[in-house]
Amino acid sequence: MSRHRKPGWGEPAAEALRVTSTGPIAEFDAESTPGFDGDKEFGETLLAERGQVLADLQELLYANGRAGDNRSVLLVLQGMDTAGKGGIVRHVGGLVDPQGLAIKGFGKPTEEELEHDFLWRIRKAVPPAGRIGIFDRSHYEDVLPVRVHNLVPESEWSGRYELINEFESELVAAGTTVIKCALVVSKDEQKARLTERLERTDKYWKYNPGDIDERGFWDDYLEAYQAIFDKTDNDDAPWHLIPANKKWFARLAVCELLIDALEKLELNWPKADFDVEAERARVAELD
Ligand code: AMP
Ligand code: MG
């Protein structure tokens, strides 16, 4: 299967980064590179190489989807403000054919969305057959800011973990491989990134004054994240902690998780649904 050793990795990323291996988020080192032995230069070179592997696997997934295979992959990205979710979409999503992606970002729910249950907008965005879906934030927001600020009563948000598990089981049963990643940035690194956003005119657009208020709830967010891992990590829809202070590592790690997920599908090129010999003969006779 896919468990042979990967270049640079002493242990597969999917194992080294799984929340069951990393320990609690509150003690997690956002500078670390679990399972990986290499520096930035090596990591960046490797990402280019592994990106080609990912691109080939993505094409295989897409081809199978076109041929009627119902399978897809969903990458769920969570993380505090400035953790680099957008960078993952751009730099890892950017390694493959954009036609094969289904990218969806989830912001504060609209009035219409609030009229429905919290999974309504999520269900509409799950990747179709043959695609790699990327959620930049997700249904987990409904147990993150919603829990931290009690945007709905505890009696309501506390029931969502089970609803999320049921929803994800349904997705998996329908052929979607679910990979969940929490990008972990340290408080110091977040300050540095917020500072940079105010120093560069080309970064103002990313600055949100509300991020400073949310930072005041750092420990509550860590607790809310830990509750998610404790209640919604399982072998069918595993959670990974991605150290995100080093952007090059976060990108490499997520790329490797996607490769691992796609390899496990053991896809082959779809067989021709036409008579190859007959078509060759027809093409040979074209003038
Ligand atoms: P950004 O990802 O920077 O565009 O910010 C999106 C904002 O929407 C963040 O502050 C999220 O916490 C917030 N958000 C996303 N989903 C929800 C939700 N279900 N309930 C409350 N806030 C949310
Ligand atoms: Mg933001």
Side-chain angles (χ1 to χ4, degrees):
M1 279 243 316
S2 58
R3 291 288 181 218
H4 45 82
R5 204 169 178 287
K6 296 291 160 49
W9 294 86
E11 192 188 348
E15 285 167 26
L17 301 171
R18 178 84 180 262
V19 285
T20 44
S21 309
T22 59
I25 188 170
E27 287 155 36
F28 187 65
D29 180 1
E31 290 284 345
S32 64
T33 62
F36 185 72
D37 333 290
D39 58 8
K40 179 176 180 178
E41 196 186 344
F42 177 54
E44 285 178 344
T45 308
L46 190 57
L47 180 61
E49 273 172 38
R50 300 302 283 164
Q52 192 53 56
V53 173
L54 179 63
D56 291 345
L57 285 163
Q58 180 272 322
E59 189 178 349
L60 201 47
L61 178 69
Y62 192 81
N64 277 277
R66 288 281 296 265
D69 190 318
N70 65 340
R71 286 176 295 178
S72 62
V73 172
L74 174 61
L75 173 66
V76 172
L77 297 176
Q78 285 291 158
M80 307 267 209
D81 299 309
T82 77
K85 298 180 291 295
I88 295 291
V89 174
R90 193 160 62 248
H91 293 277
V92 181
L95 295 167
V96 309
D97 184 341
Q99 295 180 93
L101 296 176
I103 301 166
K104 179 73 183 168
F106 292 97
K108 288 197 186 4
T110 62
E111 278 189 21
E112 187 191 18
E113 287 168 349
L114 285 172
E115 281 167 17
H116 296 83
D117 79 280
F118 76 102
L119 291 171
W120 181 72
R121 64 177 184 164
I122 306 292
R123 290 182 192 281
K124 290 197 299 180
V126 300
R131 306 291 177 88
I132 298 176
I134 308 180
F135 282 180
D136 176 351
R137 301 189 192 268
S138 67
H139 39 301
Y140 287 98
E141 290 292 312
D142 293 281
V143 283
L144 284 164
V146 172
R147 169 178 167 139
V148 167
H149 301 296
N150 279 305
L151 300 181
V152 302
E154 176 169 356
S155 57
E156 188 170 344
W157 61 249
S158 63
R160 289 182 173 175
Y161 301 95
E162 203 39 53
L163 294 171
I164 287 173
N165 283 333
E166 284 166 17
F167 165 65
E168 290 179 356
S169 301
E170 276 170 38
L171 270 187
V172 171
T176 302
T177 301
V178 179
I179 315 165
K180 302 180 291 197
C181 292
L183 304 180
V184 183
V185 75
S186 67
K187 236 179 151 177
D188 286 350
E189 181 63 20
Q190 189 191 58
K191 181 174 176 180
R193 291 182 187 180
L194 289 169
T195 304
E196 192 188 15
R197 288 179 183 184
L198 291 173
E199 280 169 351
R200 290 175 45 177
T201 50
D202 64 326
K203 298 264 182 180
Y204 288 172
W205 71 274
K206 287 192 186 184
Y207 187 82
N208 173 5
D211 291 355
I212 307 293
D213 303 311
E214 288 309 281
R215 180 182 166 91
F217 295 89
W218 191 271
D219 291 345
D220 297 325
Y221 271 103
L222 290 181
E223 208 177 291
Y225 269 104
Q226 192 59 49
I228 285 172
F229 306 143
D230 294 344
K231 295 171 197 285
T232 69
D233 170 73
N234 58 73
D235 289 345
D236 277 345
W239 268 109
H240 305 88
L241 289 189
I242 311 293
N245 278 18
K246 295 184 170 85
K247 290 178 179 172
W248 65 265
F249 179 73
R251 292 165 190 171
L252 181 67
V254 175
C255 176
E256 210 57 61
L257 293 176
L258 283 173
I259 288 173
D260 181 63
L262 287 162
E263 283 179 344
K264 280 194 202 150
L265 299 182
E266 298 184 323
L267 297 164
N268 294 302
W269 291 108
K271 298 217 174 351
D273 59 1
F274 48 82
D275 181 339
V276 177
E277 282 310 318
E279 292 305 310
R280 279 186 188 145
R282 288 179 71 211
V283 171
E285 272 164 34
L286 297 175
D287 39 52

